[in-house]
């Protein structure tokens, strides 16, 4: 599907800049009980452009944000995410697009490599300045948890209900992270070699530190978020190799990541609520 148009949203250059802090944000009531149909979500978000894009009507956003979601066989979680997060992002006056990156092969899942693919596709789509990499199953409980980039990479899942709204350990960097384009290039993206569950997030933390940056986190009250409870997916077993890989994180940083990323796009499709990137990322052999 190489004929797909790049994102083209008409921009009125005369609009004032959006405020740093959007108005009227606060706690949200997040319940996972609803049966969310795609049609209902579409009808509740009439201002979306094809591919799941939106930008504020009355002001020019300070950042252009690509949301990257690694995905395989989590349809109901994706519906829940779309149901809550489109209104959330529009309330935050975000200029954004949503990219769902689906691994086709039913070999071991590789979350980190899918993130790199999402970045590489999105960067060609629109002049994004900020990349937010998020699990499909985490929903913020407060609109003041701004989905934005900052002077340093940000970890925004620092207050998840599953971990009693605390950090389970200091270097945790999973769930939701935000990088400017420059920050992401600086760390050479995620590592591509983490197949199966675990470690890829800790490795990314090591990359940030190795490149002289630090991790910022929002206030833990505002950052409260809910994770949909689930079992470990089949095909995402832990291989037990992560620990040893992370020990050599510094050695691999400059040769394993965006600059060594190999993948085959199967299709890129503009749905109403998101852009779906279906990709063959191999199987690690
Ligand atoms: C933790 C981290 C997560 C990641 C993972 C280890 C937090 C809050 N979360 O989550 O970011 O580092 O550990 O890899 O720190 N997925 C699919 N299909 C699959 C498997 C995974 O779509 O078959 C996607 C989906 O977006 C999911 C994400 O990958 O949310 C992470 O997988 P998980 O939810 O099983 O991992 P979890 O909850 O242990
Ligand atoms: Mn999860």
């Amino acid at each position: 599907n190489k004929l797909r148009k790049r994102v083209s949203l008409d921009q009125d250059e005369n609009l004032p800049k959006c405020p740093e802090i959007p108005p009227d944000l606060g706690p949200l009531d997040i319940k996972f009980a609803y049966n969310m149909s795609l049609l209902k979500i579409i009808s509740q978000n009439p201002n979306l452009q094809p591919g799941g894009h939106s930008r504020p009507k009355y002001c020019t956003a300070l950042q252009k944000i690509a949301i990257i979601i690694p995905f395989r066989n989590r349809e109901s979680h994706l519906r829940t995410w779309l149901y809550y997060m489109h209104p959330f992002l529009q309330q935050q006056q975000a200029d954004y697009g949503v990219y769902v990156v689906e691994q086709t092969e039913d070999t071991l899942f590789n979350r980190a490599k899918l993130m790199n693919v999402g970045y590489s596709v999105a960067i060609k789509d629109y002049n994004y300045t900020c990349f937010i990499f998020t699990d499909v199953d985490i929903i913020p409980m407060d609109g003041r948890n701004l989905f934005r980039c900052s002077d340093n990479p940000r970890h925004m899942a620092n207050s998840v209900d599953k971990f009693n709204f605390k950090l389970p350990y200091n270097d945790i960097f999973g769930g939701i992270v935000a990088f400017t384009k420059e920050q992401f290039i600086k760390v050479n993206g995620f590592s591509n070699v983490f197949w199966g569950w675990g470690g890829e997030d800790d490795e990314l933390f090591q990359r940030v530190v190795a490149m002289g940056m630090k991790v910022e986190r929002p206030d833990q009250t505002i950052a409260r978020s809910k994770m949909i409870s689930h079992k470990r997916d089949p095909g995402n077993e832990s291989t037990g190799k992560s620990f040893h890989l992370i020990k050599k994180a510094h050695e691999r940083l400059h040769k394993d990541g965006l600059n060594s990323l190999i993948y085959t796009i199967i299709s890129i499709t503009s749905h109403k609520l998101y852009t779906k990137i279906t990709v063959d990322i191999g199987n690690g052999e």
Side-chain angles (χ1 to χ4, degrees):
N1 186 332
K2 300 219 164 72
L3 296 174
R4 195 181 61 101
K5 274 200 202 139
R6 295 175 62 171
V7 180
S8 64
L9 301 172
D10 296 327
Q11 183 149 38
D12 179 350
E13 298 297 339
N14 298 320
L15 288 175
K17 282 191 176 151
C18 297
E20 290 265 351
I21 316 262
D24 304 326
L25 301 175
L28 302 166
D29 185 24
I30 309 296
K31 294 194 196 89
F32 292 144
Y34 309 138
N35 182 22
M36 288 123 188
S37 86
L38 285 175
L39 285 177
K40 183 173 158 200
I41 304 168
I42 290 166
S43 73
Q44 285 173 344
N45 291 279
N47 297 322
L48 287 181
Q49 306 290 315
H53 296 273
S54 177
R55 69 148 58 112
K57 253 196 190 142
Y58 304 109
C59 59
T60 305
L62 305 175
Q63 303 187 7
K64 295 180 174 13
I65 304 163
I67 312 271
I68 316 288
I69 306 175
F71 183 82
R72 186 170 70 188
N73 197 22
R74 294 273 197 112
E75 298 298 339
S76 79
H77 291 187
L78 180 59
R79 281 201 297 275
T80 302
W81 190 92
L82 295 164
Y83 175 83
Y84 284 114
M85 296 310 288
H86 273 304
F88 176 92
L89 291 160
Q90 287 167 66
Q91 267 262 297
Q92 292 190 351
Q93 302 183 325
D95 180 343
Y96 72 97
V98 174
Y99 296 82
V100 174
V101 193
E102 181 177 46
Q103 181 171 344
T104 44
E105 304 289 290
D106 57 6
T107 46
L108 271 181
F109 195 70
N110 189 329
R111 176 179 179 271
K113 194 168 177 183
L114 293 172
M115 299 298 203
N116 284 342
V117 172
Y119 167 87
S120 306
V121 171
I123 202 90
K124 292 182 214 141
D125 228 14
Y126 188 52
N127 51 345
Y128 290 113
T129 58
C130 173
F131 294 81
I132 299 189
F133 302 94
T134 178
D135 285 359
V136 74
D137 55 18
I138 300 186
I139 310 292
M141 297 164 68
D142 196 310
R144 291 171 294 177
N145 184 1
L146 289 181
F147 268 43
R148 298 283 196 273
C149 285
S150 181
D151 295 340
N152 283 285
R154 302 183 66 217
H155 177 229
M156 290 144 77
N158 58 324
S159 186
V160 181
D161 60 348
K162 184 187 170 189
F163 302 128
N164 291 316
F165 305 107
K166 294 191 181 87
L167 283 185
Y169 57 99
N170 236 336
D171 299 356
I172 190 167
F173 203 41
I176 314 171
V177 296
F179 284 75
T180 64
K181 183 180 170 184
E182 292 72 26
Q183 289 159 1
F184 200 61
I185 290 171
K186 206 167 175 183
V187 298
N188 196 18
F190 280 84
S191 164
N192 297 310
V193 301
F194 285 78
W195 298 88
W197 185 91
E200 83 298 337
D201 50 340
D202 299 330
E203 158 102 10
L204 188 64
F205 190 99
Q206 294 303 320
R207 289 176 174 230
V208 169
V209 174
M211 293 314 293
M213 297 182 284
K214 53 183 187 194
V215 166
E216 292 182 16
R217 294 190 170 107
D219 177 277
Q220 243 172 354
T221 315
I222 286 167
R224 286 162 72 90
S225 45
K226 275 193 184 171
M227 196 179 112
I228 304 171
S229 52
H230 62 79
K231 297 205 181 75
R232 185 75 46 83
D233 302 89
N236 197 24
E237 293 79 19
S238 165
T239 60
K241 291 181 188 159
S242 296
F243 184 72
H244 295 285
L245 284 172
I246 296 166
K247 274 201 195 158
K248 304 248 161 109
H250 295 228
E251 289 171 28
R252 283 200 329 279
L253 202 159
H254 297 289
K255 53 184 185 193
D256 163 26
L258 290 177
N259 68 359
S260 67
L261 179 64
I262 297 173
Y263 60 93
T264 308
I265 296 287
I266 307 298
S267 64
I268 303 178
T269 321
S270 288
H271 294 260
K272 291 222 162 96
L273 298 168
Y274 54 90
T275 299
K276 169 75 94 57
I277 303 163
T278 305
V279 62
D280 182 349
I281 54 171
N283 59 13
E285 268 142 37

